[in-house]
Amino acid sequence: MTANKDIYIVLTGTGTAFSGLIKWFTKAELNHASIAFDCELREVYSFGRKKVHNPFIAGLIHENFIHPFYRSADCAIYQLRVTTEQYEKMYNHVQGMMQNQERYKYHLLGLIGVLLNIRFDRENAFFCSHFVASVLEETAVQPVAKPSCFVTPEDFASSLCAHKIFSGKLSYYMRRSHRAAAFSSGLHNTASPVPAAIAARRHLMEERAEGVV
């Protein structure tokens, strides 16, 4: 039997001026795409701003979704089941790129090309959804039937609608997922100072406070 693992496509909208400019062209609410290799969104990668308050310095980044910059961001998260071999090939590909992070640039001209339906090839240059689609192509996982250079965040939203696991505030998802991970760790750690029954009650109270149950 082939073992399976999950990857996650994360679409976000931060409400920045640059995001608003893209939204003006695309008419889509969520205009940034990332790929994540864990459900807690700790291992998240994309092409975007390297300094959160400066959109003009951009490239390959390991995103930190707990940063205050994302506090008001909306998101949609899609889960894709892949084989362990596919997962490792994609993850290793991204890590190889990260080892040469400074080599990669943000492909603003390519983004304009999508809007004009014109292909502009540039070595080691990507925009966010182009990057995500190109990583998926490494293992022939291709949810969008387009060349990666023409894939938009909205294409992922349309093609992966059946795989959506969350839609709402990114900050809420981050709190919930990290809390769930800590709760699960507490249940399985017999040396934990918090008894499992107390941890379970605390988790339930927190979920109620968030309006989940």
Side-chain angles (χ1 to χ4, degrees):
M1 180 180 296
T2 302
N4 293 314
K5 300 188 77 169
D6 295 316
I7 61 170
Y8 302 84
I9 307 301
V10 185
L11 306 184
T12 52
T14 57
T16 62
F18 185 69
S19 177
L21 178 63
I22 297 176
K23 179 181 174 181
W24 189 81
F25 283 101
T26 65
K27 312 305 180 185
E29 294 293 328
L30 306 178
N31 287 296
H32 181 67
S34 312
I35 185 167
F37 293 93
D38 65 306
C39 63
E40 290 87 18
L41 305 187
R42 303 179 197 272
E43 293 272 359
V44 190
Y45 302 90
S46 187
F47 270 68
R49 57 183 74 196
K50 292 187 174 183
K51 298 181 182 297
V52 293
H53 299 298
N54 188 343
F56 300 105
I57 301 176
L60 176 62
I61 55 173
H62 182 178
E63 292 187 289
N64 176 16
F65 282 159
I66 64 173
H67 192 282
F69 176 76
Y70 296 99
R71 184 176 295 133
S72 301
D74 295 309
C75 76
I77 302 172
Y78 304 85
Q79 183 182 46
L80 279 177
R81 180 63 52 89
V82 297
T83 67
T84 298
E85 181 181 5
Q86 289 174 320
Y87 178 97
E88 291 178 350
K89 185 172 183 179
M90 285 187 278
Y91 183 77
N92 291 336
H93 174 70
V94 172
Q95 294 308 307
M97 294 179 69
M98 289 297 294
Q99 289 175 10
N100 299 283
Q101 188 175 7
E102 296 306 316
R103 179 186 301 172
Y104 295 94
K105 308 301 180 184
Y106 190 86
H107 197 7
L108 182 59
L109 185 60
L111 183 61
I112 295 172
V114 172
L115 301 175
L116 300 176
N117 198 32
I118 299 173
R119 180 168 187 158
F120 294 109
D121 290 322
R122 181 185 171 196
E123 187 177 8
N124 296 330
F126 299 83
F127 52 90
C128 63
S129 51
H130 176 196
F131 164 71
V132 173
S134 70
V135 173
L136 295 174
E137 284 181 352
E138 285 296 306
T139 57
V141 175
Q142 196 171 5
V144 180
K146 288 182 179 181
S148 61
C149 63
F150 286 124
V151 174
T152 68
E154 185 66 14
D155 288 329
F156 284 126
S158 299
S159 300
L160 297 175
C161 57
H163 298 270
K164 184 187 290 186
I165 61 169
F166 179 82
S167 180
K169 291 296 180 182
L170 178 60
S171 59
Y172 169 69
Y173 178 87
M174 297 302 291
R175 290 196 304 271
R176 189 181 72 174
S177 61
H178 289 189
R179 200 161 55 216
F183 170 68
S184 177
S185 177
L187 289 181
H188 291 90
N189 183 4
T190 56
S192 173
V194 181
I198 295 177
R201 287 199 297 271
R202 179 182 298 174
H203 180 68
L204 179 60
M205 290 174 65
E206 290 172 341
E207 290 286 81
R208 283 174 174 164
E210 295 284 3
V212 176
V213 295

